[in-house]
Amino acid sequence: QVQLVESGGGSVQAGGSLRLSCSASRYIYLSNCMGWFRQAPGKEREGVAAIGTNDLTTYYADSVKGRFTISQDSAKNTVYLQMNSLKPEDTAMYYCAAESRAPDSGSWCLASGTYGSWGPGTLVTVSS
């Protein structure tokens, strides 16, 4: 099972930016897609962004389109989430996910059930 470690979370004021990193213990292309999810207190986990590791197609939740960008560095086995124009409602624990059960990348890469491995998470707090 792949090991995932997120980093880059922290506290920022509204309008600010953060860059999250997800380091994987093995080649990320072994998972057809990798995703970023978040969970705020009292809310369900939601898919934020995902990337097809072989075709580099990206997928975003409507709430973050135009503000967040997912990317990967295959040589470093790392996936990034650049978050700009942060809002207080972006406050959550952010998780990286890998080991997609799907045979290919697609919109299902934003669904938590697609993945078999998860990182411990990194906390993002956005103040108004």
Side-chain angles (χ1 to χ4, degrees), residues 1-4 26 30-35 37 45 96-102 108-109 111-119:
Q1 188 175 21
V2 63
Q3 303 300 313
L4 304 170
R26 65 181 190 186
L30 292 177
S31 178
N32 287 320
C33 51
M34 290 186 66
F37 291 75
R45 187 171 298 189
C96 176
E99 293 198 317
S100 166
R101 300 184 179 99
W108 49 83
C109 293
S112 59
T114 295
Y115 299 97
S117 292
W118 295 83

Side-chain angles (χ1 to χ4, degrees), residues 4-110:
L4 304 170
V5 178
E6 304 95 337
S7 61
S11 297
V12 64
Q13 289 191 329
S17 298
L18 284 173
R19 187 197 194 201
L20 306 184
S21 299
C22 171
S23 178
S25 61
R26 65 181 190 186
Y27 298 125
I28 58 176
Y29 63 78
L30 292 177
S31 178
N32 287 320
C33 51
M34 290 186 66
W36 282 99
F37 291 75
R38 67 185 181 188
Q39 187 167 19
K43 294 188 177 181
E44 294 187 356
R45 187 171 298 189
E46 63 171 340
V48 174
I51 186 168
T53 57
N54 295 301
D55 60 15
L56 302 184
T57 303
T58 56
Y59 309 88
Y60 296 97
D62 289 341
S63 58
V64 306
K65 280 181 182 176
R67 300 189 297 122
F68 290 11
T69 303
I70 188 170
S71 62
Q72 68 181 45
D73 184 335
S74 300
K76 295 182 179 180
N77 293 327
T78 300
V79 175
Y80 304 97
L81 184 67
Q82 178 66 44
M83 307 186 294
N84 298 329
S85 302
L86 283 162
K87 305 175 181 179
E89 51 263 44
D90 294 319
T91 295
M93 187 71 79
Y94 283 71
Y95 300 91
C96 176
E99 293 198 317
S100 166
R101 300 184 179 99
D104 203 348
S105 64
S107 58
W108 49 83
C109 293
L110 281 174

